[in-house]
Amino acid sequence: MKTLVIKELRKHFGKTWALKNLNIELDPGEIFVLLGPNGAGKTTTLKLIAGLFHPTHGDIYIKGINLAKEPLKAKRMTGYIPDEPFIYNKLTGREFINFIAGIYDINKNQYESRMDALLGKLDIGEWIDDFSETYSHGMKQKVIMCQLFLHNPDLILIDEPLVGLDPKSSKSVREIFLELKAQSKTLFICTHTLSFAKEIASKIGIINKGELKFIGALSELSEISGKKDIEEIYLKLSEELPLEQEV
Ligand SMILES: Nc1ncnc2c1ncn2[C@@H]1O[C@H](COP(=O)(O)OP(=O)(O)OP(=O)(O)O)[C@@H](O)[C@H]1O
Ligand SMILES: [Mg+2]
C-alpha cells in the first residue's frame, strides 16, 4: 500500500493560489525531497498533509486513510517537523518530549531507551534539562526531531531539516533519515539544500508558484533537462515555469 497519495490538491489564500493541482504518490521506504524557490508552496503542502490547513480542493490519503474523513487516525501515522521549531519556553527539552509522548498516549518505557540513543546521536547534551528559552534554533530543531521516535510514524514530514544545524549534526540527521528509510518509513522533506537532496533523495520534486514541474528520480530529471548537475537542473527548471499566479 502507498504511504501517501495526494490527489488534485489545491489551496488558495485570498487571491493567491499557493497550490494549483498537486498529485504525488509515495511508497514505503521512499525519501521524497521537494525543492522550489521561496513562496513556491512547499510549506503549504507539508501543512496540508499534516492536517494543519484544510485544502480548497483535493484529497490526501495516508496509508489508505482519508485525512479529511478520519483525521485522528491519519495524523497518528504522521510525524511533522516544522521549519520554525516551537517549544514552550518554560519547559525543558526533556519535559517537552515527555509532554508530546503524553499527547500520543505513549508510556515512558516504550521510548526511553530509543530516546537515549537518539540524544547521543544528535549530540544533545545536559542542556536537555535546561529551559528551552535558552536554546538556539539548532538545539530546538534537534529536540523537535526526537518527537519522530515517540509514536513511530510511517510518514515523516520535515520542513528545512538542516537549517541551524552544525555540520556534525547535519551528518547525523542524514544518517537517521537513511535508517528510517531502511525501516520502510516514508520521508517527505522540503529543503533548499541541493547537495542534501542529491545525496539522500530517492525521488525529487520541483515546485514553483504552486505547480509541480517535475517529479522523478534525479537520473530522470537529468535526462529530461539535459543537465547533469543538480544545481543546473534546478535553475533550468525554475526558469521555465509560468508566471501568472492570480485567481
Ligand atoms: N497562512 C497564509 N496566509 C496567506 N498566504 C499564505 C499563507 N501561507 C502561505 N501563503 C502564501 O502561499 C504561497 C506559498 O507559501 P509557502 O510558505 O508554502 O512557500 P515555501 O515554498 O514554503 O517557501 P519558502 O522556501 O520561503 O519556505 C506564498 O505565496 C505565500 O505567500
Ligand atoms: Mg517554507
Side-chain angles (χ1 to χ4, degrees):
M1 179 187 289
K2 300 275 175 197
T3 311
L4 176 69
V5 174
I6 296 178
K7 279 190 183 160
E8 296 181 11
L9 192 63
R10 292 175 206 152
K11 176 76 184 169
H12 70 72
F13 298 104
K15 281 191 166 181
T16 306
W17 280 101
L19 278 185
K20 287 180 184 161
N21 185 17
L22 197 67
N23 293 282
I24 297 176
E25 295 195 355
L26 299 180
D27 288 312
E30 270 198 287
I31 298 185
F32 176 60
V33 176
L34 186 59
L35 304 169
N38 296 130
K42 303 181 298 296
T43 297
T44 302
T45 304
L46 283 193
K47 285 188 174 169
L48 285 162
I49 304 168
L52 299 175
F53 284 160
H54 291 294
T56 306
H57 175 92
D59 290 300
I60 297 168
Y61 298 88
I62 297 163
K63 294 191 86 183
I65 306 292
N66 186 320
L67 175 63
K69 294 198 173 129
E70 294 183 84
L72 283 182
K73 208 168 169 188
K75 283 183 196 176
R76 275 200 173 267
M77 296 186 284
T78 310
Y80 170 57
I81 303 191
D83 51 349
E84 290 293 337
F86 173 79
I87 307 178
Y88 298 104
N89 277 341
K90 298 295 179 196
L91 288 186
T92 68
R94 195 185 299 280
E95 284 167 347
F96 178 75
I97 291 168
N98 292 338
F99 168 69
I100 299 292
I103 290 178
Y104 283 105
D105 208 10
I106 306 164
N107 202 303
K108 217 171 185 181
N109 54 24
Q110 281 176 275
Y111 66 87
E112 207 152 42
S113 60
R114 264 186 299 156
M115 200 50 58
D116 281 346
L118 193 63
L119 295 182
K121 208 172 254 181
L122 284 173
D123 225 1
I124 295 178
E126 285 171 5
W127 53 262
I128 190 76
D129 292 308
D130 295 341
F131 284 138
S132 73
E133 64 190 358
T134 65
Y135 294 177
S136 69
H137 180 98
M139 288 156 94
K140 283 186 192 163
Q141 186 81 359
K142 288 185 197 184
V143 170
I144 299 267
M145 215 160 271
C146 293
Q147 280 183 64
L148 291 183
F149 297 83
L150 293 175
H151 67 295
N152 204 18
D154 292 302
L155 175 64
I156 296 165
L157 313 167
I158 310 152
D159 209 346
E160 290 293 350
L162 301 185
V163 170
L165 295 187
D166 59 50
K168 189 176 168 206
S169 306
S170 300
K171 187 166 177 275
S172 304
V173 164
R174 281 201 297 275
E175 285 166 8
I176 290 167
F177 287 174
L178 292 171
E179 280 169 26
L180 289 167
K181 174 186 162 79
Q183 293 163 21
S184 297
K185 306 293 184 190
T186 304
L187 284 81
F188 190 132
I189 302 169
C190 297
T191 186
H192 291 299
T193 313
L194 299 179
S195 57
F196 173 71
K198 186 178 166 186
E199 207 176 306
I200 203 166
S202 52
K203 196 185 260 179
I204 285 180
I206 298 185
I207 190 172
N208 196 2
K209 295 183 166 49
E211 278 186 281
L212 196 59
K213 190 67 181 172
F214 281 100
I215 183 164
L218 184 60
S219 56
E220 291 167 46
L221 290 184
S222 317
E223 253 170 54
I224 293 164
S225 64
K227 306 262 184 197
K228 280 221 156 60
D229 180 72
I230 186 161
E231 194 170 13
E232 280 185 59
I233 295 170
Y234 173 78
L235 292 174
K236 183 166 190 284
L237 295 180
S238 305
E239 274 167 20
E240 286 173 359
L241 296 165
L243 291 171
E244 89 289 343
Q245 201 181 354
E246 297 285 289
V247 178

